[in-house]
Coordinates of all heavy atoms in Angstrom, one line a residue:
M1477 N -32.1 -73.9 -8.7 CA -32.2 -73.7 -7.3 C -33.6 -73.9 -6.7 O -34.5 -73.5 -7.3 CB -31.8 -72.2 -7.0 CG -30.6 -72.1 -6.1 SD -30.3 -70.4 -5.8 CE -28.8 -70.4 -5.1
T1478 N -33.6 -74.6 -5.6 CA -34.9 -74.9 -5.1 C -35.4 -73.7 -4.2 O -34.5 -72.9 -3.8 CB -34.8 -76.1 -4.2 OG1 -34.0 -75.8 -3.1 CG2 -34.3 -77.3 -4.9
P1479 N -36.6 -73.6 -3.9 CA -37.1 -72.6 -3.1 C -36.5 -72.6 -1.7 O -36.2 -71.5 -1.1 CB -38.6 -72.8 -2.9 CG -39.0 -73.6 -4.1 CD -37.8 -74.4 -4.5
E1480 N -36.1 -73.7 -1.2 CA -35.5 -73.8 0.1 C -34.1 -73.2 0.1 O -33.6 -72.4 1.0 CB -35.4 -75.2 0.6 CG -36.7 -75.8 1.0 CD -36.5 -77.3 1.3 OE1 -35.4 -77.9 1.3 OE2 -37.6 -77.9 1.6
Q1481 N -33.4 -73.4 -1.0 CA -32.0 -72.9 -1.2 C -32.1 -71.4 -1.3 O -31.2 -70.6 -0.8 CB -31.3 -73.5 -2.4 CG -30.9 -74.9 -2.2 CD -30.4 -75.5 -3.5 OE1 -30.7 -75.1 -4.6 NE2 -29.6 -76.6 -3.3
V1482 N -33.1 -70.9 -2.1 CA -33.3 -69.4 -2.2 C -33.6 -68.8 -0.9 O -33.0 -67.8 -0.5 CB -34.4 -69.2 -3.2 CG1 -34.8 -67.7 -3.2 CG2 -34.0 -69.6 -4.6
T1483 N -34.4 -69.4 -0.1 CA -34.7 -68.9 1.3 C -33.5 -68.9 2.1 O -33.2 -67.9 2.9 CB -35.8 -69.8 1.9 OG1 -36.9 -69.9 1.1 CG2 -36.2 -69.3 3.3
I1484 N -32.7 -70.0 2.1 CA -31.5 -70.0 2.9 C -30.5 -68.9 2.4 O -29.9 -68.2 3.3 CB -30.8 -71.4 2.7 CG1 -31.6 -72.5 3.4 CG2 -29.4 -71.4 3.3 CD1 -31.2 -73.9 3.2
Q1485 N -30.4 -68.7 1.1 CA -29.5 -67.7 0.6 C -30.0 -66.3 1.0 O -29.2 -65.5 1.3 CB -29.4 -67.8 -1.0 CG -28.6 -69.0 -1.4 CD -27.3 -68.6 -2.0 OE1 -27.2 -67.5 -2.5 NE2 -26.3 -69.5 -1.9
L1486 N -31.3 -66.1 0.9 CA -31.8 -64.8 1.3 C -31.6 -64.5 2.7 O -31.3 -63.4 3.1 CB -33.3 -64.7 0.9 CG -33.7 -64.5 -0.5 CD1 -35.2 -64.6 -0.7 CD2 -33.2 -63.1 -1.0
T1487 N -31.8 -65.5 3.6 CA -31.6 -65.4 5.0 C -30.1 -65.1 5.2 O -29.8 -64.2 6.1 CB -32.0 -66.7 5.7 OG1 -33.3 -67.0 5.4 CG2 -31.8 -66.5 7.2
A1488 N -29.2 -65.7 4.6 CA -27.8 -65.5 4.7 C -27.4 -64.1 4.3 O -26.7 -63.3 5.0 CB -26.9 -66.5 3.9
H1489 N -28.0 -63.6 3.2 CA -27.8 -62.3 2.7 C -28.4 -61.2 3.6 O -27.7 -60.2 3.9 CB -28.4 -62.1 1.3 CG -27.6 -62.8 0.2 ND1 -26.3 -62.6 0.0 CD2 -28.0 -63.7 -0.8 CE1 -25.9 -63.3 -1.1 NE2 -26.9 -64.0 -1.5
E1490 N -29.5 -61.5 4.2 CA -30.1 -60.6 5.1 C -29.2 -60.4 6.4 O -29.0 -59.3 6.9 CB -31.5 -61.0 5.5 CG -32.6 -60.8 4.5 CD -33.9 -61.4 4.9 OE1 -34.1 -61.9 6.0 OE2 -34.8 -61.2 4.0
H1491 N -28.7 -61.6 6.8 CA -27.8 -61.6 8.0 C -26.5 -60.8 7.6 O -26.1 -59.9 8.4 CB -27.5 -63.0 8.3 CG -26.6 -63.1 9.5 ND1 -26.3 -62.1 10.4 CD2 -25.8 -64.2 10.0 CE1 -25.5 -62.5 11.3 NE2 -25.1 -63.8 11.1
E1492 N -26.0 -61.0 6.4 CA -24.8 -60.3 6.0 C -25.1 -58.8 5.9 O -24.3 -57.9 6.3 CB -24.3 -60.8 4.7 CG -23.0 -60.3 4.2 CD -21.8 -60.7 5.1 OE1 -21.9 -61.7 5.8 OE2 -20.8 -59.9 5.2
I1493 N -26.2 -58.4 5.4 CA -26.6 -57.0 5.2 C -26.8 -56.4 6.6 O -26.3 -55.2 6.8 CB -27.9 -56.9 4.4 CG1 -27.6 -57.2 2.9 CG2 -28.5 -55.5 4.5 CD1 -28.9 -57.3 2.1
G1494 N -27.4 -57.1 7.5 CA -27.5 -56.6 8.9 C -26.1 -56.3 9.5 O -25.9 -55.3 10.2
S1495 N -25.2 -57.3 9.3 CA -23.9 -57.1 9.8 C -23.2 -55.9 9.2 O -22.5 -55.1 9.9 CB -23.1 -58.4 9.6 OG -21.7 -58.3 10.0
L1496 N -23.3 -55.8 7.9 CA -22.7 -54.6 7.2 C -23.3 -53.3 7.7 O -22.6 -52.3 7.8 CB -22.9 -54.8 5.7 CG -22.1 -55.9 5.0 CD1 -22.5 -56.1 3.6 CD2 -20.6 -55.6 5.1
K1497 N -24.6 -53.3 7.9 CA -25.2 -52.0 8.4 C -24.7 -51.7 9.8 O -24.4 -50.5 10.1 CB -26.8 -52.2 8.5 CG -27.5 -52.1 7.2 CD -29.0 -52.3 7.4 CE -29.7 -52.2 6.1 NZ -31.2 -52.4 6.3
H1498 N -24.5 -52.7 10.6 CA -23.9 -52.5 12.0 C -22.5 -52.0 11.9 O -22.1 -51.0 12.5 CB -24.0 -53.8 12.8 CG -23.3 -53.7 14.1 ND1 -23.9 -53.0 15.1 CD2 -22.2 -54.2 14.6 CE1 -23.1 -53.1 16.2 NE2 -22.0 -53.9 15.9
R1499 N -21.7 -52.6 11.0 CA -20.3 -52.1 10.8 C -20.3 -50.7 10.2 O -19.4 -49.9 10.6 CB -19.6 -53.1 9.9 CG -19.3 -54.5 10.6 CD -18.8 -55.5 9.7 NE -17.5 -55.1 9.2 CZ -16.9 -55.7 8.1 NH1 -17.5 -56.7 7.5 NH2 -15.7 -55.3 7.7
T1500 N -21.2 -50.4 9.3 CA -21.2 -49.1 8.7 C -21.5 -48.0 9.8 O -20.9 -47.0 9.8 CB -22.3 -49.0 7.6 OG1 -21.9 -50.0 6.6 CG2 -22.3 -47.7 6.9
K1501 N -22.5 -48.3 10.7 CA -22.8 -47.4 11.7 C -21.6 -47.2 12.7 O -21.3 -46.1 13.1 CB -24.0 -47.9 12.5 CG -25.3 -47.8 11.8 CD -26.5 -48.3 12.7 CE -27.8 -48.2 11.9 NZ -28.9 -48.7 12.7
R1502 N -20.9 -48.3 12.9 CA -19.7 -48.2 13.8 C -18.6 -47.3 13.1 O -18.0 -46.4 13.7 CB -19.2 -49.5 14.1 CG -18.2 -49.5 15.2 CD -17.8 -50.9 15.7 NE -17.2 -51.6 14.5 CZ -16.7 -52.8 14.5 NH1 -16.8 -53.5 15.7 NH2 -16.3 -53.4 13.5
V1503 N -18.4 -47.5 11.8 CA -17.5 -46.7 11.1 C -17.9 -45.2 11.0 O -17.1 -44.3 11.2 CB -17.3 -47.3 9.6 CG1 -16.5 -46.3 8.8 CG2 -16.6 -48.6 9.7
E1504 N -19.2 -45.0 10.8 CA -19.7 -43.6 10.8 C -19.4 -43.0 12.2 O -19.0 -41.8 12.3 CB -21.2 -43.6 10.5 CG -21.4 -43.8 9.0 CD -22.9 -44.0 8.7 OE1 -23.7 -44.1 9.7 OE2 -23.3 -44.0 7.5
S1505 N -19.6 -43.7 13.2 CA -19.4 -43.2 14.6 C -17.9 -42.9 14.8 O -17.6 -41.8 15.4 CB -19.9 -44.2 15.6 OG -19.5 -43.8 16.9
Q1506 N -17.1 -43.7 14.3 CA -15.6 -43.5 14.4 C -15.2 -42.3 13.6 O -14.4 -41.5 14.0 CB -14.8 -44.8 14.0 CG -14.9 -45.9 15.0 CD -14.3 -47.2 14.4 OE1 -14.0 -47.3 13.2 NE2 -14.0 -48.1 15.3
V1507 N -15.8 -42.1 12.4 CA -15.4 -41.0 11.6 C -15.9 -39.7 12.2 O -15.1 -38.7 12.3 CB -16.1 -41.1 10.2 CG1 -16.0 -39.8 9.4 CG2 -15.4 -42.2 9.4
E1508 N -17.0 -39.7 12.9 CA -17.5 -38.5 13.6 C -16.6 -38.2 14.8 O -16.2 -37.0 15.0 CB -18.9 -38.8 14.1 CG -19.6 -37.6 14.7 CD -21.0 -37.8 15.2 OE1 -21.7 -38.7 14.5 OE2 -21.4 -37.2 16.2
A1509 N -16.1 -39.2 15.5 CA -15.2 -39.0 16.6 C -13.9 -38.5 16.1 O -13.3 -37.6 16.7 CB -15.0 -40.3 17.4
I1510 N -13.4 -39.0 15.0 CA -12.2 -38.5 14.4 C -12.3 -37.0 13.9 O -11.4 -36.2 14.1 CB -11.7 -39.4 13.2 CG1 -11.2 -40.7 13.7 CG2 -10.6 -38.7 12.4 CD1 -11.0 -41.8 12.7
N1511 N -13.5 -36.7 13.4 CA -13.7 -35.3 13.0 C -13.7 -34.4 14.2 O -13.2 -33.3 14.1 CB -15.0 -35.2 12.2 CG -14.9 -35.8 10.8 OD1 -13.8 -35.9 10.2 ND2 -16.1 -36.1 10.2
K1512 N -14.3 -34.8 15.3 CA -14.4 -34.0 16.5 C -12.9 -33.9 17.0 O -12.5 -32.8 17.5 CB -15.3 -34.6 17.5 CG -16.7 -34.5 17.2 CD -17.6 -35.1 18.3 CE -19.1 -35.0 18.0 NZ -19.9 -35.6 19.1
L1513 N -12.2 -34.9 17.0 CA -10.8 -34.9 17.5 C -10.0 -33.9 16.6 O -9.2 -33.2 17.2 CB -10.2 -36.3 17.5 CG -8.8 -36.4 18.0 CD1 -8.6 -36.0 19.4 CD2 -8.3 -37.9 17.8
T1514 N -10.2 -34.0 15.3 CA -9.4 -33.1 14.4 C -9.8 -31.7 14.7 O -8.9 -30.8 14.8 CB -9.8 -33.4 13.0 OG1 -9.5 -34.8 12.7 CG2 -9.0 -32.5 12.0
A1515 N -11.0 -31.3 14.9 CA -11.4 -30.0 15.3 C -10.8 -29.6 16.6 O -10.3 -28.4 16.7 CB -12.9 -29.9 15.3
S1516 N -10.8 -30.5 17.6 CA -10.1 -30.2 18.9 C -8.7 -29.9 18.7 O -8.1 -29.0 19.3 CB -10.4 -31.3 19.8 OG -11.7 -31.4 20.1
V1517 N -8.0 -30.7 17.9 CA -6.5 -30.5 17.7 C -6.3 -29.2 17.0 O -5.3 -28.5 17.4 CB -6.0 -31.7 16.9 CG1 -4.5 -31.4 16.4 CG2 -6.0 -33.0 17.7
E1518 N -7.1 -28.8 16.0 CA -6.9 -27.5 15.4 C -7.1 -26.4 16.4 O -6.3 -25.4 16.4 CB -8.0 -27.4 14.2 CG -7.6 -28.2 13.0 CD -8.7 -28.0 11.9 OE1 -9.4 -27.0 11.9 OE2 -8.8 -28.9 11.0
S1519 N -8.1 -26.5 17.2 CA -8.4 -25.5 18.2 C -7.2 -25.4 19.2 O -6.7 -24.3 19.5 CB -9.7 -25.8 19.0 OG -9.9 -24.9 20.0
L1520 N -6.7 -26.5 19.6 CA -5.5 -26.6 20.5 C -4.3 -25.9 19.8 O -3.6 -25.2 20.4 CB -5.2 -28.0 20.9 CG -4.1 -28.2 21.8 CD1 -4.3 -27.5 23.2 CD2 -3.8 -29.7 22.0
A1521 N -4.1 -26.2 18.5 CA -2.9 -25.7 17.8 C -3.1 -24.2 17.8 O -2.1 -23.4 18.0 CB -2.9 -26.3 16.4
L1522 N -4.3 -23.6 17.5 CA -4.5 -22.2 17.5 C -4.2 -21.6 18.8 O -3.6 -20.5 18.9 CB -5.9 -21.9 17.0 CG -6.2 -22.2 15.5 CD1 -7.7 -21.9 15.2 CD2 -5.3 -21.3 14.6
S1523 N -4.7 -22.3 19.9 CA -4.4 -21.8 21.2 C -2.9 -21.7 21.6 O -2.4 -20.8 22.1 CB -5.1 -22.6 22.3 OG -6.5 -22.5 22.1
V1524 N -2.2 -22.8 21.2 CA -0.8 -22.8 21.4 C -0.1 -21.7 20.6 O 0.8 -21.0 21.2 CB -0.2 -24.2 21.1 CG1 1.3 -24.2 21.0 CG2 -0.7 -25.2 22.0
Q1525 N -0.5 -21.5 19.4 CA 0.1 -20.4 18.6 C -0.1 -19.0 19.3 O 0.8 -18.2 19.4 CB -0.4 -20.3 17.2 CG 0.1 -21.5 16.3 CD -0.6 -21.5 15.0 OE1 -1.6 -20.8 14.8 NE2 -0.1 -22.2 14.0
Q1526 N -1.3 -18.8 19.8 CA -1.7 -17.6 20.4 C -0.8 -17.4 21.7 O -0.3 -16.3 22.0 CB -3.2 -17.5 20.8 CG -3.6 -16.3 21.5 CD -3.4 -15.0 20.7 OE1 -3.4 -15.0 19.5 NE2 -3.1 -13.9 21.4
M1527 N -0.7 -18.5 22.5 CA 0.1 -18.5 23.7 C 1.6 -18.2 23.4 O 2.2 -17.4 24.1 CB 0.0 -19.8 24.4 CG -1.3 -20.0 25.2 SD -1.6 -21.6 25.9 CE -0.1 -22.2 26.4
L1528 N 2.1 -18.7 22.3 CA 3.5 -18.5 21.9 C 3.7 -17.0 21.5 O 4.6 -16.4 22.0 CB 3.8 -19.3 20.7 CG 5.3 -19.2 20.2 CD1 6.3 -19.6 21.3 CD2 5.5 -20.1 19.0
R1529 N 2.7 -16.4 20.8 CA 2.8 -15.0 20.4 C 2.7 -14.1 21.7 O 3.6 -13.2 21.9 CB 1.6 -14.6 19.6 CG 1.9 -14.8 18.1 CD 0.8 -14.2 17.2 NE 0.2 -15.3 16.5 CZ -1.0 -15.7 16.5 NH1 -1.9 -15.2 17.3 NH2 -1.4 -16.8 15.8
E1530 N 1.9 -14.5 22.6 CA 1.7 -13.7 23.9 C 3.0 -13.9 24.7 O 3.5 -12.9 25.3 CB 0.5 -14.2 24.7 CG 0.3 -13.5 26.0 CD -0.1 -12.0 25.7 OE1 -0.7 -11.7 24.7 OE2 0.2 -11.2 26.6
Q1531 N 3.6 -15.0 24.7 CA 4.8 -15.3 25.5 C 6.0 -14.4 24.9 O 6.8 -13.9 25.6 CB 5.2 -16.8 25.4 CG 6.4 -17.1 26.3 CD 6.7 -18.6 26.3 OE1 6.2 -19.3 25.4 NE2 7.5 -19.0 27.2
K1532 N 6.0 -14.3 23.6 CA 7.1 -13.5 22.9 C 6.9 -12.0 23.3 O 7.8 -11.3 23.6 CB 7.1 -13.7 21.4 CG 7.6 -15.0 21.0 CD 7.6 -15.1 19.5 CE 8.1 -16.5 19.0 NZ 8.1 -16.6 17.5
E1533 N 5.6 -11.6 23.3 CA 5.3 -10.2 23.6 C 5.7 -9.9 25.1 O 6.3 -8.9 25.4 CB 3.9 -9.9 23.4 CG 3.5 -9.8 21.9 CD 2.0 -9.7 21.7 OE1 1.2 -9.4 22.7 OE2 1.5 -9.8 20.6
Q1534 N 5.4 -10.9 25.9 CA 5.7 -10.7 27.4 C 7.2 -10.7 27.6 O 7.7 -10.0 28.4 CB 5.0 -11.8 28.2 CG 3.6 -11.6 28.3 CD 2.9 -12.7 29.2 OE1 3.6 -13.7 29.5 NE2 1.6 -12.6 29.4
G1535 N 7.9 -11.5 26.8 CA 9.4 -11.5 26.9 C 10.0 -10.2 26.5 O 10.9 -9.7 27.2
S1536 N 9.5 -9.6 25.5 CA 10.0 -8.3 25.1 C 9.7 -7.2 26.1 O 10.5 -6.3 26.4 CB 9.6 -7.9 23.7 OG 8.2 -7.7 23.6
R1537 N 8.4 -7.3 26.6 CA 8.1 -6.3 27.7 C 8.9 -6.5 28.9 O 9.4 -5.5 29.6 CB 6.6 -6.5 28.1 CG 5.7 -5.8 27.0 CD 4.3 -5.9 27.5 NE 3.9 -7.3 27.5 CZ 2.7 -7.8 27.2 NH1 1.7 -6.9 26.9 NH2 2.4 -9.1 27.1
L1538 N 9.2 -7.7 29.3 CA 10.0 -8.0 30.4 C 11.4 -7.5 30.2 O 12.0 -6.9 31.1 CB 10.0 -9.5 30.7 CG 10.8 -10.0 31.9 CD1 10.3 -9.4 33.2 CD2 10.8 -11.5 32.0
L1539 N 12.0 -7.7 29.0 CA 13.3 -7.2 28.7 C 13.4 -5.7 28.9 O 14.3 -5.2 29.5 CB 13.7 -7.6 27.3 CG 15.1 -7.3 26.9 CD1 16.1 -8.0 27.8 CD2 15.3 -7.7 25.5
R1540 N 12.3 -5.0 28.4 CA 12.3 -3.5 28.5 C 12.3 -3.1 30.0 O 12.9 -2.2 30.4 CB 11.1 -2.9 27.8 CG 11.3 -2.9 26.3 CD 10.3 -2.0 25.6 NE 8.9 -2.4 25.9 CZ 8.2 -3.1 25.2 NH1 8.6 -3.6 24.1 NH2 6.9 -3.4 25.5
L1541 N 11.4 -3.9 30.8 CA 11.3 -3.6 32.2 C 12.7 -3.8 32.9 O 13.0 -3.1 33.9 CB 10.2 -4.4 32.9 CG 8.8 -3.9 32.5 CD1 7.8 -4.9 33.1 CD2 8.5 -2.6 33.1
E1542 N 13.4 -4.9 32.6 CA 14.6 -5.2 33.2 C 15.7 -4.2 32.8 O 16.6 -3.9 33.7 CB 15.1 -6.6 32.8 CG 14.3 -7.7 33.4 CD 14.7 -9.1 32.9 OE1 15.3 -9.2 31.8 OE2 14.3 -10.1 33.5
C1543 N 15.6 -3.6 31.7 CA 16.6 -2.6 31.2 C 16.4 -1.2 31.8 O 17.3 -0.4 31.9 CB 16.7 -2.6 29.7 SG 17.3 -4.0 28.9
R1544 N 15.2 -1.0 32.2 CA 14.8 0.4 32.7 C 15.7 0.8 33.8 O 16.2 2.0 33.8 CB 13.3 0.5 33.0 CG 12.9 1.9 33.4 CD 11.5 1.9 33.8 NE 10.7 1.7 32.6 CZ 9.3 1.5 32.6 NH1 8.7 1.5 33.7 NH2 8.7 1.3 31.5
P1545 N 15.9 0.0 34.9 CA 16.7 0.5 36.0 C 18.2 0.8 35.6 O 18.7 1.8 36.0 CB 16.7 -0.6 37.0 CG 15.4 -1.4 36.7 CD 15.3 -1.2 35.2
A1546 N 18.7 0.0 34.7 CA 20.1 0.2 34.2 C 20.1 1.5 33.4 O 21.1 2.3 33.6 CB 20.6 -0.9 33.4
N1547 N 19.1 1.8 32.6 CA 19.1 3.0 31.8 C 19.0 4.2 32.8 O 19.6 5.3 32.5 CB 18.0 3.0 30.8 CG 18.2 2.0 29.7 OD1 19.3 1.6 29.4 ND2 17.1 1.6 29.1
E1548 N 18.2 4.1 33.8 CA 18.0 5.2 34.8 C 19.3 5.5 35.5 O 19.7 6.6 35.7 CB 16.8 4.9 35.7 CG 15.5 5.0 35.1 CD 14.3 4.5 36.0 OE1 14.6 4.2 37.2 OE2 13.2 4.6 35.6
V1549 N 20.0 4.4 35.9 CA 21.3 4.6 36.6 C 22.3 5.3 35.7 O 23.0 6.2 36.1 CB 21.8 3.2 37.1 CG1 23.3 3.4 37.5 CG2 21.0 2.7 38.2
R1550 N 22.3 4.9 34.4 CA 23.2 5.5 33.5 C 22.9 7.0 33.3 O 23.8 7.9 33.3 CB 23.2 4.9 32.1 CG 24.2 3.8 31.9 CD 24.2 3.3 30.5 NE 24.0 1.8 30.5 CZ 23.0 1.1 30.1 NH1 22.0 1.7 29.6 NH2 22.9 -0.2 30.3
S1551 N 21.6 7.3 33.2 CA 21.2 8.7 33.1 C 21.5 9.5 34.3 O 22.0 10.6 34.2 CB 19.7 8.7 32.8 OG 19.2 10.0 32.8
M1552 N 21.3 9.0 35.5 CA 21.7 9.7 36.7 C 23.2 9.9 36.8 O 23.6 10.9 37.2 CB 21.1 8.9 37.9 CG 19.6 9.0 38.2 SD 19.1 8.5 39.8 CE 19.3 6.7 39.6
R1553 N 23.9 8.9 36.4 CA 25.4 9.0 36.5 C 25.9 10.1 35.5 O 26.7 10.9 35.9 CB 26.0 7.7 36.0 CG 27.5 7.6 36.3 CD 28.1 6.3 35.9 NE 27.4 5.1 36.4 CZ 27.3 4.0 35.8 NH1 27.8 3.8 34.7 NH2 26.6 3.0 36.4
R1554 N 25.3 10.2 34.3 CA 25.6 11.3 33.4 C 25.3 12.7 34.0 O 26.1 13.6 33.9 CB 24.8 11.1 32.1 CG 25.6 10.3 31.1 CD 24.9 10.4 29.7 NE 24.5 9.0 29.4 CZ 23.3 8.6 29.2 NH1 22.2 9.4 29.2 NH2 23.0 7.3 28.9
E1555 N 24.1 12.7 34.7 CA 23.7 14.0 35.3 C 24.6 14.4 36.4 O 25.0 15.6 36.5 CB 22.2 13.9 35.8 CG 21.2 13.8 34.7 CD 21.2 14.9 33.7 OE1 21.4 16.1 34.1 OE2 21.1 14.6 32.5
V1556 N 25.0 13.4 37.2 CA 26.0 13.7 38.3 C 27.3 14.2 37.7 O 27.9 15.2 38.2 CB 26.2 12.5 39.2 CG1 27.4 12.7 40.2 CG2 24.9 12.2 40.0
I1557 N 27.8 13.5 36.7 CA 29.1 13.9 36.1 C 28.9 15.4 35.5 O 29.8 16.2 35.6 CB 29.5 12.9 35.0 CG1 29.9 11.6 35.7 CG2 30.6 13.5 34.1 CD1 30.2 10.5 34.7
K1558 N 27.8 15.6 34.8 CA 27.6 17.0 34.3 C 27.6 18.0 35.4 O 28.2 19.1 35.2 CB 26.2 17.0 33.5 CG 26.2 16.4 32.2 CD 24.8 16.6 31.6 CE 24.6 15.7 30.4 NZ 23.2 15.8 29.9
A1559 N 26.9 17.7 36.5 CA 26.8 18.6 37.6 C 28.2 18.9 38.2 O 28.6 20.0 38.5 CB 25.9 18.1 38.6
F1560 N 29.0 17.8 38.3 CA 30.4 17.9 38.8 C 31.2 18.7 37.9 O 32.0 19.6 38.4 CB 31.0 16.5 39.1 CG 32.3 16.5 39.6 CD1 32.6 16.9 40.9 CD2 33.4 16.2 38.8 CE1 33.9 16.9 41.5 CE2 34.7 16.3 39.3 CZ 34.9 16.6 40.7
V1561 N 31.2 18.5 36.6 CA 32.0 19.2 35.6 C 31.6 20.7 35.6 O 32.4 21.6 35.6 CB 31.9 18.5 34.2 CG1 32.5 19.4 33.2 CG2 32.6 17.2 34.2
S1562 N 30.2 20.9 35.7 CA 29.8 22.3 35.7 C 30.2 23.0 36.9 O 30.7 24.2 36.9 CB 28.2 22.3 35.6 OG 27.8 21.8 34.4
A1563 N 30.2 22.4 38.1 CA 30.6 23.0 39.3 C 32.1 23.3 39.3 O 32.6 24.3 39.7 CB 30.3 22.1 40.5
L1564 N 32.9 22.3 38.8 CA 34.3 22.5 38.6 C 34.6 23.6 37.7 O 35.5 24.5 38.0 CB 35.0 21.2 38.1 CG 36.5 21.1 38.1 CD1 37.0 21.3 39.5 CD2 36.9 19.8 37.5
A1565 N 33.9 23.7 36.5 CA 34.2 24.8 35.6 C 33.8 26.1 36.2 O 34.5 27.1 36.0 CB 33.3 24.5 34.3
G1566 N 32.7 26.1 37.0 CA 32.3 27.4 37.6 C 33.3 27.8 38.6 O 33.6 29.0 38.8
A1567 N 33.8 26.8 39.4 CA 34.8 27.2 40.4 C 36.1 27.7 39.7 O 36.7 28.7 40.2 CB 35.2 26.0 41.2
L1568 N 36.5 27.1 38.6 CA 37.7 27.6 37.9 C 37.5 29.0 37.3 O 38.4 29.8 37.4 CB 38.1 26.6 36.8 CG 38.7 25.3 37.2 CD1 38.9 24.3 36.0 CD2 40.0 25.5 37.9
I1569 N 36.3 29.2 36.8 CA 36.0 30.5 36.2 C 36.0 31.5 37.3 O 36.5 32.6 37.2 CB 34.7 30.5 35.4 CG1 34.8 29.6 34.2 CG2 34.2 31.9 35.1 CD1 33.6 29.4 33.4
T1570 N 35.4 31.2 38.5 CA 35.4 32.1 39.6 C 36.8 32.4 40.1 O 37.1 33.6 40.3 CB 34.6 31.5 40.8 OG1 33.3 31.2 40.3 CG2 34.5 32.4 41.9
L1571 N 37.7 31.4 40.2 CA 39.1 31.7 40.5 C 39.8 32.6 39.5 O 40.5 33.5 39.9 CB 39.8 30.3 40.6 CG 39.6 29.5 41.9 CD1 40.3 28.2 41.8 CD2 40.1 30.3 43.1
L1572 N 39.5 32.3 38.2 CA 40.1 33.1 37.2 C 39.7 34.6 37.3 O 40.4 35.5 37.1 CB 39.9 32.5 35.8 CG 40.6 31.3 35.5 CD1 40.1 30.7 34.1 CD2 42.1 31.5 35.4
I1573 N 38.4 34.7 37.5 CA 37.8 36.1 37.6 C 38.4 36.8 38.8 O 38.7 38.0 38.7 CB 36.3 36.0 37.7 CG1 35.7 35.6 36.3 CG2 35.7 37.4 38.1 CD1 34.2 35.4 36.3
H1574 N 38.6 36.2 39.9 CA 39.1 36.8 41.2 C 40.6 37.1 41.0 O 41.1 38.1 41.7 CB 38.8 35.9 42.4 CG 37.4 36.0 42.8 ND1 36.8 37.1 43.3 CD2 36.5 35.0 42.9 CE1 35.6 36.8 43.6 NE2 35.3 35.5 43.4
K1575 N 41.3 36.4 40.3 CA 42.7 36.6 40.1 C 43.0 37.8 39.1 O 44.0 38.4 39.1 CB 43.4 35.4 39.6 CG 43.6 34.3 40.7 CD 44.5 33.3 40.2 CE 44.7 32.3 41.4 NZ 45.7 31.3 41.1
I1576 N 42.0 38.0 38.3 CA 42.2 39.1 37.3 C 42.0 40.4 37.8 O 41.8 41.0 38.7 CB 41.2 38.9 36.1 CG1 41.5 37.6 35.3 CG2 41.3 40.1 35.2 CD1 40.6 37.4 34.2

């Protein structure tokens, strides 16, 4: 190989090395962006899981709140029936006592 051929080959190799360095930097940049994206997706997934847990808790609280009026009405109905039965029993006992 002549010195000129060696120079040409070295120049070609230097150019190729420069190109490879440039491509490596670009790949490193892309890997960094992918890592940031991965971290963001993980954070988003955790947020969604937390929101789902909170939504389930709110659903159960809402169900309890929706049932409260019905339970109160049932309770009041029972109390009214008890009062009516007690009054009726008292009236019957009073009639029985007066007849005796």
